[in-house]
Amino acid sequence: MSELITGIGELHTVDPARGADSVLRDAAVVVENGLIAWMGRASEAPAADRAVDVEGRAALPGWVDSHTHLVFAGDRGEEFAARMAGEAYAAGGIGVTTNATREASDETLRGLVAGRVRDAVAGGTTYLETKTGYGLDVEQELRAAKIAAGAADEVTFLGAHLVPEGVDADEYVETVCGPMLEAVTPYVQWADVFCERGAFNPEQSRRVLEACRDAGLGLRVHGNQIGPGEGVSLAVELGAASVDHCNFLSDEDVAALAGSDTVATVLPACDLSTRAPLAPARELLDAGATAAIASNCNPGTSYTTSMNFCVATAVLQMKLTVDEAIRAATLGGAKALRRDVSTPGRPAVGHLAVGTRADLHVLDAPQAVHLAYRPGMPLTWGVWRAGRREI
Ligand code: NIG
C-alpha cells in the first residue's frame, strides 16, 4: 500500500544533500513499504493507493530522541521540590530509583516503559534510544536490557551509572566490565558511563568504555554535567558517537568536539529541571561541532519525553534558530546514534529523502517556527513512524 501525504505547507526535509534549500513549500510525500518513495511539489505528486491532505500544515522528520532512561519505577517528586527550594542535584538520587526499580515486577516495568514510549510517539518522536542503569547488578541490568530491547529502537548499557551503596567502586567496575557486560551484550548496541564527581572517575570510566568497545559496543558518555571534567576529552579520544549533557565545557572541550565526529548532545529539559547552566549549544554550533537535542527522560533530572518542549527551550533559551533546533533534534540525534546514513536493510532516520525511513511529524501549524512561538501548545497533529500512521 502506498500513501500520499499532500497539502504540506512547509516541508522541513533536513536533508544534508539539499544544503540551504532543505525546506519545500506546497509539498507532498509518498510513503511505501515504510520508506519515503517520492517527495516534491504537491501539484506533481504521483497517484497512490490512498491519500491524506494535511491542509497547509508544516511537516518535518519525526524527532530522534537519542538519550532517554525509560526503564525505571517510582518518581522523585520530593527531590525535585527540594531542588526548586535550593538544593543542588547530586548523582546519589540514582540509588533511590534503583531501589524502586528493583522492587517492580517485570510486567509492571514493561508497562511503564511502553507507556513512556507511547507518550514520546504522541509528541512526535519516531526513533528512540533508551538505557539500562537503574539495575546496578548483573541480574537487574540484564532484566533492564531485555525490557529496553523490547521497547526502544536502540539500547545502551549503563551499568556504570552509579556505584551501588556498600559496594567497592573498583570491584563494581570489574563486575560491569566482566559478567554484567557479558550478560547484556546480546540486547544492547551501545555502552555509556556517567563520568562525573560522585559517579565514576576518568580512570574507571576509561576502563568501562574500553571493555565495552572491545566487546563490540558503540560508545557514549555522560560528561561535564555537574562540573568541569574529563568526560568530553575521554569521549573524543575514544571515538564515542556522543557525549551528553556538556554543561561545563572549557574552550579546549569545545574545540575538541568541533574537530571530531563525537556529537555534543544537549539536554535542555534537564538543564531547566536541575537549574544547571544551560549547555552552550550556540557556542558549540558556532565552533563547528555537531549538536543533538534529546529529552533525557528520567525521574531524577528530566521527567519528560516532550521533544517539542526541548526544541522550544533550545530556541528560546539556548539561542538556536528554529531550523538549527529542528536539525539537532532530528539529524543530530540520528548522527549521535550513527543512523543518519542508510545501509543495506537499515534506512537512514532523522531526515527526509527518497529511501529514508518514512518518519514524519505533522504540526498543527502552518510553519515550524510555531514550535517556539507557541511553546507548550499541543502542536503535534500527525505522526507516521516507519510509514505507519501512529497519531
Ligand atoms: O542523564 N546524569 C546521570 N544520569 C541521568 C540522571 C539520573 C538520575 O538522577 O536518576 C541524567 O541526567
Side-chain angles (χ1 to χ4, degrees):
M1 280 286 267
S2 57
E3 182 172 19
L4 169 67
I5 303 162
T6 190
I8 302 172
E10 186 182 276
L11 177 64
H12 289 252
T13 66
V14 198
D15 181 3
R18 287 181 182 266
D21 270 344
S22 67
V23 180
L24 310 183
R25 319 267 162 203
D26 302 321
V29 167
V30 177
V31 168
E32 193 165 14
N33 296 328
L35 304 177
I36 305 285
W38 182 92
M39 221 170 65
R41 291 191 69 78
S43 58
E44 295 164 10
D49 297 325
R50 60 170 182 248
V52 52
D53 186 346
V54 304
E55 299 173 337
R57 292 181 169 86
L60 51 149
W63 303 128
V64 177
D65 193 349
S66 59
H67 183 139
T68 77
H69 304 246
L70 302 185
V71 190
F72 67 86
D75 74 60
R76 301 198 337 242
E78 283 171 19
E79 177 188 317
F80 175 79
R83 209 155 58 229
M84 294 306 106
E87 294 279 318
Y89 171 72
I94 294 166
V96 175
T97 299
T98 299
N99 291 339
T101 305
R102 286 177 176 176
E103 277 167 25
S105 69
D106 292 3
E107 195 187 349
T108 300
L109 211 46
R110 236 182 263 115
L112 289 168
V113 176
R116 291 173 188 134
V117 172
R118 265 198 307 278
D119 288 347
V121 173
T125 296
T126 50
Y127 200 82
L128 181 137
E129 176 271 5
T130 201
K131 297 178 225 311
T132 72
Y134 293 118
L136 306 187
D137 65 28
V138 175
E139 187 190 335
Q140 292 286 336
E141 283 292 302
L142 173 59
R143 176 171 86 132
K146 287 181 178 171
I147 290 173
D153 299 292
E154 308 251 347
V155 181
T156 301
F157 167 46
L158 183 57
H161 201 188
L162 184 78
V163 179
E165 217 176 287
V167 178
D168 173 77
D170 290 326
E171 269 174 34
Y172 183 65
V173 166
E174 290 316 305
T175 303
V176 169
C177 297
M180 200 182 275
L181 172 60
E182 196 182 332
V184 302
T185 295
Y187 303 96
V188 307
Q189 297 78 41
W190 299 98
D192 197 341
V193 61
F194 188 12
C195 178
E196 199 79 49
R197 195 173 60 225
F200 295 84
N201 67 32
E203 292 70 38
Q204 293 162 339
S205 301
R206 176 186 292 279
R207 166 87 181 101
V208 169
L209 291 168
E210 289 182 344
C212 293
R213 181 195 60 195
D214 293 347
L217 302 182
L219 304 182
R220 346 186 47 77
V221 175
H222 279 66
N224 303 57
Q225 174 185 8
I226 298 176
E230 292 175 46
V232 167
S233 49
L234 193 58
V236 170
E237 182 199 325
L238 296 182
S242 179
V243 56
D244 303 29
H245 286 286
C246 296
N247 298 86
F248 293 88
L249 299 187
S250 64
D251 292 348
E252 290 73 27
D253 291 329
V254 173
L257 285 164
S260 77
D261 285 336
T262 301
V263 173
T265 299
V266 301
L267 308 166
C270 174
D271 297 355
L272 294 187
S273 177
T274 53
R275 293 200 172 144
L278 297 173
R282 177 74 272 146
E283 193 185 335
L284 284 160
L285 289 184
D286 289 345
T290 300
I293 293 171
S295 75
N296 188 22
C297 179
N298 78 80
T301 64
S302 188
Y303 202 171
T304 179
T305 48
S306 175
M307 289 290 283
N308 289 1
F309 174 73
C310 293
V311 165
T313 303
V315 175
L316 297 172
Q317 305 276 4
M318 291 179 164
K319 300 189 167 47
L320 267 53
T321 66
V322 174
D323 283 351
E324 285 170 336
I326 289 173
R327 179 168 296 263
T330 53
L331 189 62
K335 283 179 189 278
L337 293 168
R338 301 289 190 246
R339 292 286 284 107
D340 54 312
V341 173
S342 295
T343 53
R346 289 192 100 199
V349 299
H351 73 278
L352 301 171
V354 171
T356 65
R357 209 170 92 151
D359 289 345
L360 214 71
H361 181 192
V362 179
L363 303 178
D364 197 7
Q367 298 165 316
V369 72
H370 284 231
L371 283 163
Y373 172 47
R374 294 160 64 206
M377 300 303 285
L379 289 179
T380 297
W381 181 85
V383 177
W384 280 255
R385 194 177 186 201
R388 198 183 120 134
R389 184 140 191 198
E390 300 278 355
I391 303 291

